[in-house]
């Protein structure tokens, strides 16, 4: 039984109000909401897939592509914004050639934003695969990304 | 009765109605955008605001109920200013594209800007920049969308589909499909009801006018055209005629002027469909076939069954639709008769429907890769073609459609209204099974705009349960009953659009809501005054069987006039 089925088993005969918890649990176990997962949830709840997509895109927390090996999360909260997180984000988009919510084709990099990481004193902040980086500048970010690329090319040889 | 005051005048309103409804009766026009007749108000656009004494802010009249002693201002400076500002805000990120827009002249947004006297750009927002979806017959141009939500509501609440939805949030939201795919791979059935509901040029049909013009100017092609039963009672509206006027003869003359080599009447193949379908029904009843049998002439409905009710595909009649039957006999019988290579014939049809564009592209509808029908024009496109070619429809002297596919019974003509196929089928089934004509041909309970109608018809010793459903939301309800085991029905007519083809997604835009009813009445008036009222007495249909097809459900019929369906896996 795959991840979606085991989540849905916990919600037998569920109605529309169970949609958000189901989406959260599926994302929790799969890392993202795949088409197949949405199609399956759509059948289970008797709700058009488009509706589910509409609801899910309303919230920032859901992603529709799997995470990359190096997953960047940039904080876009108020404090970070004041300290220039927009320039960090711009640099991330430029270097990774990705927009928020996207994953590179080779699934090596992915990028997303969060509203606040709760570490405003250290702003601007970001995390890489859950590992926390404080007072990030665009220059610092460039170095971090380059390090990721280096480990990748080592792995290849 | 409720007494209230509007702009200083006393008026009476009805208990439970909205302010908007009361104002309308008083001859007071209030602009609306998100409001849709027949659906619950969503109150989201606030275009319809009025001032109410005692209320802090302005209130939306489309969703606010009337109350005793209420005092309303509909044209105070505050109201006019608010409405104008709403329009200006909508225009803030709108492309100034009216000159190039399909909807220009029929656009509610353009009209509102005129009405409110907007003469300059007051807000300079970033223009919407999104790609058009041109993947299928329904074209979506999100840049022109004002997010009124009407398309979403029609698709979900009327058609029971939900192919489109608000995606994203806040100022970045837009109308989209699941995973932002093209409509062609979505659950959309191409009904076009969203186009008719849209107040702007954000939704339209994929146009085939250029292809048709190219064919008309190619001397090596023979270009033939067919027109659907409901087009002659709606086309006039595009030229300023009152809804419900039949312009059949003038339209035939106009199409000849445009340069079509032959003008055929799809009502002819509607009669042919009845011969095949009534025979199929009789065979299923006597031979223990799958019942109830479902009609198959509405291509949106077919796709709906294929994707949502694949278990009921065996219930669908195997008959092609009248459009496709006409296409098939044009490129076989007619081509042989005229001694012309079918590949040299360009077959055009004028339909009240956008789903017909999808239907003619189905691979099953192109034996040996020669499509039965090459291009479909909606009623709207046909009108544009006439205008482009400078043909004055109303000045034409009426002419008749061409042999061998020009004769029709009125049974074939009423196909254009919900209930018409059933009425035509019962008339002929009765004759086929008993050898006698019905005493009374009219079947009043099957007529009218109601979404679901039923009768029990006596055919000889047999009592037949017949149902008529239009609008796919209504179809869902009946199909669920059938899945749950309902067994008393033999034959069901399903039409995709509410009220049938007279209210199709390809019909004129901006007609008043009563237009569909007037078009329907026009069809039944024709049925009342003409004498050939049953399909089995159509002499040209009889000749087609005699010279070419053999008999209904025969080998040749099967090859040319019948088809099959496939379950669709769709997100
Ligand atoms: S949608 Fe209306 S306002 Fe917008 S460009 Fe088209 S005609 Fe003009
Ligand atoms: S054409 Fe019909 S099914 Fe398709 S999006 Fe529009 S309303 Fe929905
Ligand atoms: S596409 Fe048309 S009907 Fe749909 S929300 Fe946009 S403007 Fe309204
Ligand atoms: S028409 Fe009343 S709020 Fe939109």
């Amino acid at each position: 039984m795959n991840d979606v089925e085991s989540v849905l088993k916990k919600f037998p005969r569920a109605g529309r109000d169970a949609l958000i918890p189901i989406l959260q649990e599926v994302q929790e176990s799969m890392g993202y909401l795949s088409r197949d997962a949405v199609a399956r949830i759509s059948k289970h709840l008797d709700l058009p897939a488009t509706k589910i997509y509409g609801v899910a895109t309303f919230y920032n927390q859901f992603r529709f592509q799997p995470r990359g090996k190096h997953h960047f999360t940039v904080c876009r909260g108020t404090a970070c914004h004041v300290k220039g997180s927009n320039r960090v984000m711009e640099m991330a988009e430029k270097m990774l050639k990705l927009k928020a919510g996207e994953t590179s084709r080779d699934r090596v990099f992915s990028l997303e934003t969060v509203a606040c990481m709760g570490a405003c004193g250290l702003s601007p902040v970001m995390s890489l695969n859950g590992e926390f980086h404080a007072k990030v500048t665009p220059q610092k970010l460039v170095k971090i990304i380059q390090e990721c690329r280096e480990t990748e090319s080592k792995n290849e040889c | 009765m409720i007494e209230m005051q509007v702009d200083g005048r006393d008026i009476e309103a009805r208990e439970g109605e909205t302010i908007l409804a009361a104002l309308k009766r008083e001859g007071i026009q209030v602009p609306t955008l998100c409001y849709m007749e027949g659906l619950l108000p969503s109150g989201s656009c606030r275009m319809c605001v009025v001032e109410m004494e005692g209320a802090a802010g302005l209130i939306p009249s489309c969703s606010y109920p009337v109350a005793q002693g209420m005092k309303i201002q509909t044209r105070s400076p505050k109201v006019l200013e608010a409405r104008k500002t709403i329009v200006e805000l909508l225009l803030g990120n709108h492309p100034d594209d009216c000159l190039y827009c399909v909807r220009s002249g029929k656009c509610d947004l353009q009209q509102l800007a005129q009405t409110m006297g907007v003469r300059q750009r007051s807000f300079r927002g970033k223009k919407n920049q999104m790609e058009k979806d041109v993947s299928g017959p329904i074209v979506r141009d999100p840049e022109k969308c004002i997010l009124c939500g009407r398309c979403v509501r029609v698709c979900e609440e009327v058609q029971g589909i939900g192919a489109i939805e608000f995606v994203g949030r806040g100022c970045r939201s837009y109308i989209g499909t699941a995973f932002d795919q093209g409509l062609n791979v979505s659950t959309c059935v191409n009904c076009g009801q969203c186009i008719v509901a849209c107040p702007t040029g954000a939704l339209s049909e994929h146009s085939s006018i250029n292809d048709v013009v190219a064919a008309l100017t190619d001397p090596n092609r023979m270009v033939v055209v067919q027109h659907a039963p409901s087009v002659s009672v709606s086309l006039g509206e595009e030229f300023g005629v009152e809804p419900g006027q039949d312009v059949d003869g003038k339209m035939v003359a106009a199409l000849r002027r445009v340069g079509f080599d032959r003008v055929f009447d799809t009502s002819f193949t509607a009669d042919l469909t009845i011969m095949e379908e009534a025979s199929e029904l009789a065979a299923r009843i006597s031979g223990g076939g799958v019942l109830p049998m479902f009609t198959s002439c509405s291509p949106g409905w077919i796709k709906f069954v294929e994707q949502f009710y694949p278990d009921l595909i065996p219930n669908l009649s195997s008959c092609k639709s009248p459009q496709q039957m006409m296409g098939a006999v044009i490129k076989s019988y007619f081509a042989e008769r005229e001694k012309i290579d079918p590949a040299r014939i360009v077959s055009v049809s004028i339909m009240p429907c956008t789903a017909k564009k999808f239907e003619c592209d189905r691979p099953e509808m192109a034996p040996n890769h020669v499509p039965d029908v090459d291009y479909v024009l909606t009623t709207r496109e046909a009108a544009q073609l006439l205008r482009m070619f400078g043909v004055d429809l109303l000045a034409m002297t009426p002419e008749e459609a061409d042999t061998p596919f020009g004769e029709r019974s009125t049974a074939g003509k009423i196909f254009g209204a919900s209930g018409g196929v059933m009425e035509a089928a019962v008339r002929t089934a009765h004759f086929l099974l008993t050898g006698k004509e019905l005493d009374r041909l009219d079947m009043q309970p099957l007529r009218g705009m109601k979404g679901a109608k039923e009768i029990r018809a006596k055919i000889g010793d047999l009592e037949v349960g017949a149902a008529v459903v239009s609008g796919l939301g209504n179809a869902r309800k009946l199909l669920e009953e059938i899945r749950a085991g309902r067994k008393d029905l033999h034959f069901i007519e399903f039409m995709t659009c509410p009220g049938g083809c007279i209210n199709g997604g390809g019909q004129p835009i901006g007609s008043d809501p009563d237009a569909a009813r007037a078009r329907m009445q026009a069809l039944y008036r024709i049925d009342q005054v003409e004498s050939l009222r049953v399909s089995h007495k159509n002499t040209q249909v009889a000749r087609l069987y005699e010279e070419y097809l053999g008999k209904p459900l025969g080998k040749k019929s099967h090859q040319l006039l019948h088809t099959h369906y496939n379950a669709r896996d769709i997100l």
Side-chain angles (χ1 to χ4, degrees):
Chain A
M1 192 161 52
N2 70 25
D3 299 345
V4 188
E5 296 301 335
S6 48
V7 171
L8 291 180
K9 254 189 103 174
K10 293 194 235 161
F11 295 88
R13 285 185 300 280
R16 294 178 174 216
D17 48 337
L19 177 60
I20 302 276
I22 289 178
L23 291 177
Q24 281 168 330
E25 287 209 23
V26 169
Q27 168 146 316
E28 178 82 29
S29 70
M30 297 180 65
Y32 75 114
L33 300 173
S34 68
R35 275 164 199 250
D36 289 348
V38 169
R40 185 63 193 84
I41 299 168
S42 151
K43 270 224 172 73
H44 187 77
L45 295 180
D46 192 19
L47 201 64
T50 317
K51 270 240 122 60
I52 298 179
Y53 187 66
V55 170
T57 52
F58 186 84
Y59 300 97
N60 259 334
Q61 53 174 301
F62 296 112
R63 25 186 317 118
F64 305 93
Q65 290 174 10
R67 286 185 176 186
K69 210 164 132 196
H70 306 279
H71 181 65
F72 289 79
T73 312
V74 178
C75 181
R76 296 290 284 121
T78 318
C80 288
H81 181 76
V82 173
K83 290 293 184 79
S85 69
N86 55 334
R87 282 183 297 122
V88 176
M89 190 61 196
E90 273 165 25
M91 184 55 85
E93 289 181 343
K94 205 171 109 195
M95 291 270 305
L96 300 174
K97 297 197 179 64
L98 295 175
K99 290 220 162 50
E102 289 181 351
T103 302
S104 64
R105 281 221 184 148
D106 54 10
R107 297 214 179 162
V108 172
F109 290 106
S110 55
L111 177 63
E112 91 187 348
T113 58
V114 289
C116 184
M117 287 191 188
C120 307
L122 305 169
S123 57
V125 296
M126 60 155 266
S127 79
L128 171 57
N129 294 338
E131 190 188 323
F132 200 76
H133 292 256
K135 297 199 193 304
V136 206
T137 57
Q139 291 74 16
K140 252 184 162 173
L141 178 74
V142 171
K143 263 186 74 188
I144 297 171
I145 294 176
Q146 269 163 355
E147 276 162 26
C148 294
R149 291 219 162 107
E150 272 160 33
T151 38
E152 276 312 303
S153 54
K154 264 191 219 125
N155 288 349
E156 259 167 41
C157 345
Chain B
M1 274 298 167
I2 285 176
E3 279 140 23
M4 53 191 279
Q5 212 182 63
V6 176
D7 302 327
R9 242 169 17 97
D10 292 329
I11 70 160
E12 287 191 335
R14 295 174 193 156
E15 192 84 45
E17 72 181 351
T18 60
I19 299 176
L20 184 70
L23 294 181
K24 191 175 173 197
R25 233 188 356 263
E26 285 299 310
I28 299 169
Q29 291 176 338
V30 175
T32 58
L33 271 178
C34 66
Y35 170 77
M36 302 181 75
E37 217 167 294
L39 298 185
L40 284 175
S42 68
S44 61
C45 76
R46 306 195 62 86
M47 194 66 233
C48 63
V49 286
V50 294
E51 206 174 336
M52 180 171 78
E53 202 178 277
L58 300 174
I59 55 165
S61 62
C62 72
S63 49
Y64 211 95
V66 293
Q68 181 64 34
M70 206 177 222
K71 289 198 173 107
I72 298 288
Q73 298 279 342
T74 71
R75 53 193 186 208
S76 62
K78 208 166 142 193
V79 167
L80 295 184
E81 192 53 39
R83 290 182 190 158
K84 186 172 180 188
T85 306
I86 291 172
V87 177
E88 288 175 332
L89 282 168
L90 289 173
L91 293 175
N93 60 358
H94 197 82
D96 290 332
D97 253 3
C98 295
L99 272 175
Y100 311 101
C101 185
V102 273
R103 199 47 93 80
S104 194
K106 299 223 159 138
C107 172
D108 290 355
L109 182 60
Q110 195 184 45
Q111 190 60 52
L112 279 171
Q114 289 300 318
T115 312
M116 301 303 153
V118 179
R119 285 287 164 268
Q120 64 190 20
R121 186 173 273 284
S122 313
F123 301 98
R124 210 161 279 278
K126 203 165 146 257
K127 291 264 162 55
N128 294 333
Q129 268 181 343
M130 294 187 70
E131 269 179 49
K132 270 192 186 183
D133 177 358
V134 292
S135 61
I138 312 291
V139 175
R140 298 191 316 118
D141 184 354
E143 292 187 359
K144 291 183 184 153
C145 173
I146 55 171
L147 299 174
C148 68
R150 291 165 66 143
C151 55
V152 173
R153 298 195 65 198
V154 168
C155 191
E156 191 188 354
E157 294 173 39
V158 179
Q159 297 298 55
I161 302 220
I164 43 180
E165 180 55 69
F166 285 91
V167 176
R169 174 165 56 168
C171 64
R172 272 194 299 268
S173 64
Y174 56 92
I175 305 292
T177 59
F179 291 91
D180 300 300
Q181 320 171 90
L183 266 185
N184 64 332
V185 289
S186 75
T187 48
C188 168
V189 300
N190 307 299
C191 70
Q193 286 300 315
C194 54
I195 299 180
V196 192
C198 180
T200 73
L203 290 166
S204 59
E205 68 270 44
H206 171 84
S207 172
S208 295
I209 290 189
N210 290 344
D211 300 306
V212 172
V213 170
L216 285 168
T217 45
D218 182 345
N220 292 317
R221 299 295 181 129
M222 177 183 224
V223 191
V224 302
V225 68
Q226 58 171 310
H227 55 89
S230 67
V231 174
S232 73
V233 296
S234 63
L235 182 69
E237 292 165 44
E238 287 276 342
F239 299 89
V241 170
E242 284 271 293
Q245 298 276 341
D246 182 30
V247 295
D248 190 75
K250 287 179 187 289
M251 174 180 68
V252 170
L255 292 172
R256 281 206 187 101
R257 284 279 186 99
V258 164
F260 289 105
D261 296 301
R262 294 287 192 288
V263 181
F264 296 135
D265 190 340
T266 312
S267 306
F268 167 86
T269 31
D271 282 335
L272 185 61
T273 303
I274 287 299
M275 296 304 290
E276 293 290 328
E277 205 158 18
S279 308
E280 186 183 355
L281 178 65
R284 285 193 191 212
I285 291 177
S286 60
V290 180
L291 291 172
M293 186 171 89
F294 302 158
T295 57
S296 56
C297 30
S298 184
W301 150 249
I302 296 292
K303 184 165 185 264
F304 180 82
V305 176
E306 289 178 322
Q307 63 198 25
F308 295 124
Y309 293 88
D311 49 315
L312 298 180
I313 285 179
N315 296 67
L316 283 170
S317 159
S318 64
C319 289
K320 286 184 184 173
S321 69
Q323 156 173 287
Q324 294 303 138
M325 284 200 184
M326 179 64 90
V329 293
I330 284 173
K331 292 207 179 169
S332 57
Y333 172 71
F334 174 74
E336 282 175 37
R337 207 177 109 118
E338 298 287 318
K339 301 191 178 52
I340 176 173
D341 177 4
R344 271 189 54 213
I345 300 179
V346 176
S347 177
V348 177
S349 64
I350 300 176
M351 294 284 140
C353 179
T354 45
K356 290 278 164 195
K357 288 177 183 265
F358 170 82
E359 181 182 44
C360 82
D361 278 342
R362 289 178 69 117
E364 308 87 73
M365 300 297 166
N368 308 319
H369 304 289
V370 178
D372 290 341
V373 172
D374 293 283
Y375 303 113
V376 173
L377 300 178
T378 58
T379 310
R380 300 187 284 268
E381 290 174 273
Q384 198 202 323
L385 182 65
L386 296 193
R387 286 192 284 263
M388 186 187 270
F389 276 45
V391 177
D392 182 353
L393 176 77
L394 303 180
M396 295 291 119
T397 309
E399 294 174 12
E400 294 208 338
D402 284 296
T403 46
F405 311 134
E407 182 179 317
R408 59 142 181 83
S409 75
T410 61
K413 190 71 179 169
I414 59 175
F415 258 60
S418 155
V421 178
M422 180 60 72
E423 192 165 332
V426 173
R427 291 178 189 177
T428 290
H430 188 275
F431 178 78
L432 291 182
L433 289 168
T434 66
K436 285 195 297 257
E437 297 293 344
L438 276 169
D439 297 335
R440 272 189 64 82
L441 292 178
D442 296 11
M443 277 159 242
Q444 289 303 338
L446 294 181
R447 299 183 178 183
M449 294 289 289
K450 254 176 63 191
K453 300 166 266 191
E454 287 187 21
I455 55 161
R456 307 206 63 85
K458 265 303 230 187
I459 301 184
D461 305 329
L462 196 72
E463 200 188 65
V464 176
V468 168
V469 176
S470 67
L472 294 175
N474 295 321
R476 252 188 208 286
K477 287 181 207 139
L478 185 55
L479 292 177
E480 290 303 328
E481 288 176 24
I482 289 168
R483 260 189 184 166
R486 186 171 170 189
K487 290 237 157 26
D488 62 321
L489 294 171
H490 297 86
F491 189 29
I492 311 175
E493 174 199 307
F494 287 98
M495 288 295 156
T496 304
C497 295
C501 312
I502 40 114
N503 193 30
Q507 294 283 37
I509 277 172
S511 329
D512 67 287
D514 295 328
R517 193 165 286 114
R519 294 171 199 155
M520 183 180 267
Q521 283 159 358
L523 291 179
Y524 288 112
R525 252 194 324 275
I526 294 168
D527 182 49
Q528 213 160 47
V529 299
E530 291 185 17
S531 54
L532 175 55
R533 297 184 65 197
V534 291
S535 303
H536 51 274
K537 284 197 181 149
N538 182 323
T539 59
Q540 286 182 5
V541 167
R543 186 163 125 205
L544 177 61
Y545 276 114
E546 214 174 276
E547 287 184 7
Y548 197 68
L549 293 173
K551 58 180 194 321
L553 306 185
K555 190 158 162 261
K556 202 114 199 175
S557 286
H558 250 285
Q559 244 169 31
L560 289 171
L561 308 181
H562 291 256
T563 184
H564 56 91
Y565 313 101
N566 303 303
R568 282 172 197 268
D569 199 9
I570 249 158
L571 189 60

